Amino acid sequence: MKLLTIGIPCYNSQDYMEHAVETALVGGEDVEIILVDDGSKDDTGKIADRLAAEHPSIVRAIHQKNGGHGSAVNMALANANGIYYKVLDSDDWLDRAALLRVIEVLRGFVQEGNGVDMLLANYVYEKPSLHKHKVISYDGVFPEDKVFGWSDVKRFRMSQNILMHSVIYRTKLLRDCELELPEHTFYVDNIFVYTPLPFVKTMYYVNADLYRYFIGREDQSVNEKIMIQRIDQQLKVNKLMIDAYDLTKIRNKKLRNYMVKYLTMMMTISSVFLIKEGTEESLAKRTELWDYLKSTNMGMYRMVHHMALSKPMQIRNRAGRKIVVWGYSLSQKIYGFN
């Protein structure tokens, strides 16, 4: 059994996937790398097979019909032999020193005969074209280098969210919570981090910049224009998150507050893009999204509505919408996303 499975979904990734694999190979025999060729139309499949042949004890290649990012994550998870599971997108990479430190921590858990449900590390927004990078750390939120629970978590700042980039889950936990991401749907990484949270009892934070999140390709799913074009996908994810849990019944207050914060953030992002698109149809979709939450669970609606982020999102007049767009643009500059 491997210590850590790193699943790498690949679709038309021939130009950058090898770099992702090279950075994951630093983990050596403690690591299993599963490359899932998601019906690529370029040489991704051939490269995956070559890398598997070159590193037979570490790299595995799986080929499937195109099912989207979520389908590839599901496939890697279904075939994972690692005690822990990490997703690495094929255009991103891992920091060598940080990965070795994480591996050492995971190895210590196994040697001591215990473990945690979720390990967290920092991630970095990388914008090589602008020679910029922005580190998102969790200092001040999580205790460092010790096992802790939700009751030990401090207040999250606006920029501090648990994303797919920062999280490593225990593989058994993901299977126990029956995580299965929808196929042919973008932005399912939000479901990946959100759905397992109520199952997480123990955590560990390594204050190291592990995940390097590349921003800048025009065809990237987080490109703002692409996100607006695919807003229906984002709305689908929002509704799946609304349906996943009745947050009013989450007993741990700090876990509940964080999940409300994350759901609010997701609905805020969708609302901003619908406002930026500005058509009657898009504004109607924004109204429908908030009405969906209200009609599904009034208690959850009140919890989300009381969050500071959510209130401007429901302003109906033009001046209010301009304020929302300005606020989003300012946050974008500060935090460096998209």
Side-chain angles (χ1 to χ4, degrees):
M1 179 176 287
K2 294 283 188 172
L3 194 60
L4 174 66
T5 294
I6 300 176
I8 306 182
C10 300
Y11 177 72
N12 292 349
S13 305
Q14 64 177 22
D15 294 334
Y16 37 78
M17 61 186 289
E18 287 192 71
H19 181 230
V21 173
E22 287 169 1
T23 65
L25 283 168
V26 169
E29 294 296 333
D30 286 318
V31 167
E32 169 189 54
I33 301 169
I34 299 181
L35 301 173
V36 181
D37 169 26
D38 187 41
S40 299
K41 299 175 182 178
D42 61 3
D43 287 336
T44 293
K46 293 179 181 179
I47 295 171
D49 287 338
R50 174 172 57 77
L51 290 169
E54 291 173 354
H55 308 278
S57 63
I58 301 176
V59 179
R60 297 164 59 195
I62 298 175
H63 306 276
Q64 66 174 26
K65 292 182 180 179
N66 180 258
H69 186 266
S71 175
V73 171
N74 293 339
M75 180 62 73
L77 177 60
N79 287 274
N81 292 312
I83 299 172
Y84 290 89
Y85 181 76
K86 173 73 178 169
V87 177
L88 172 63
D89 282 342
S90 58
D91 55 348
D92 298 333
W93 61 96
L94 301 175
D95 178 80
R96 174 187 175 88
L99 178 58
L100 291 175
R101 184 174 169 190
V102 166
I103 292 291
E104 182 181 2
V105 169
L106 295 178
R107 189 185 298 117
F109 290 152
V110 174
Q111 291 173 348
E112 294 168 9
N114 55 30
V116 296
D117 297 325
M118 181 171 70
L119 183 142
L120 301 115
N122 307 333
Y123 65 96
V124 184
Y125 287 111
E126 295 283 1
K127 289 188 175 182
S129 61
L130 299 178
H131 305 288
K132 291 183 178 180
H133 68 274
K134 174 73 174 180
V135 177
I136 304 298
S137 70
Y138 300 95
D139 56 303
V141 180
F142 300 134
E144 293 186 27
D145 301 323
K146 62 180 288 187
V147 177
F148 61 92
W150 286 106
S151 298
D152 303 306
V153 173
K154 306 299 182 184
R155 184 179 180 86
F156 287 85
R157 295 192 295 271
M158 185 178 294
S159 64
Q160 292 172 313
N161 293 290
I162 301 170
L163 299 188
M164 187 183 74
H165 321 307
S166 58
V167 70
I168 297 175
Y169 280 122
R170 189 161 51 88
T171 305
K172 186 177 183 299
L173 180 140
L174 295 179
R175 291 172 176 161
D176 287 348
C177 74
E178 299 181 346
L179 177 70
E180 186 169 355
L181 304 182
E183 296 189 352
H184 300 292
T185 305
F186 289 92
Y187 314 115
V188 294
D189 52 311
N190 297 291
I191 299 173
F192 179 85
V193 292
Y194 183 82
T195 300
L197 289 178
F199 291 79
V200 172
K201 307 304 179 187
T202 55
M203 295 169 274
Y204 192 98
Y205 170 49
V206 177
N207 191 357
D209 304 340
L210 174 63
Y211 196 103
R212 303 306 174 107
Y213 178 28
F214 177 79
I215 300 289
R217 286 202 339 268
E218 291 186 1
D219 64 339
Q220 200 167 11
S221 62
V222 294
N223 178 290
E224 185 174 300
K225 291 181 180 178
I226 299 286
M227 291 188 77
I228 291 174
Q229 291 171 5
R230 295 173 176 166
I231 191 63
D232 288 341
Q233 304 278 307
Q234 188 82 6
L235 295 174
K236 177 181 177 180
V237 168
N238 284 179
K239 290 178 179 179
L240 287 171
M241 292 172 65
I242 290 170
D243 294 341
Y245 296 108
D246 180 351
L247 297 183
T248 66
K249 295 181 179 179
I250 300 290
R251 297 183 63 181
N252 187 291
K253 183 179 179 180
K254 290 188 176 181
L255 170 60
R256 182 177 67 245
N257 288 346
Y258 176 75
M259 294 184 73
V260 170
K261 173 185 182 290
Y262 196 85
L263 179 61
T264 304
M265 179 192 72
M266 291 300 301
M267 295 190 65
T268 297
I269 290 171
S270 295
S271 298
V272 167
F273 288 142
L274 289 166
I275 290 169
K276 292 192 78 169
E277 192 173 18
T279 64
E280 289 186 12
E281 181 183 6
S282 64
L283 295 177
K285 287 180 179 179
R286 177 191 60 162
T287 300
E288 194 273 333
L289 173 63
W290 289 94
D291 287 347
Y292 182 84
L293 175 60
K294 186 185 295 186
S295 63
T296 299
N297 191 313
M298 178 58 77
M300 277 173 55
Y301 172 79
R302 292 194 181 105
M303 293 167 75
V304 170
H305 183 66
H306 287 155
M307 297 288 288
L309 276 175
S310 76
K311 295 178 181 178
M313 297 305 121
Q314 300 175 70
I315 297 174
R316 303 294 178 92
N317 61 61
R318 183 175 296 178
R321 296 197 294 270
K322 286 184 177 180
I323 292 172
V324 167
V325 172
W326 174 83
Y328 172 79
S329 299
L330 179 62
S331 297
Q332 191 179 41
K333 290 179 181 178
I334 294 173
Y335 299 118
F337 53 83
N338 298 124

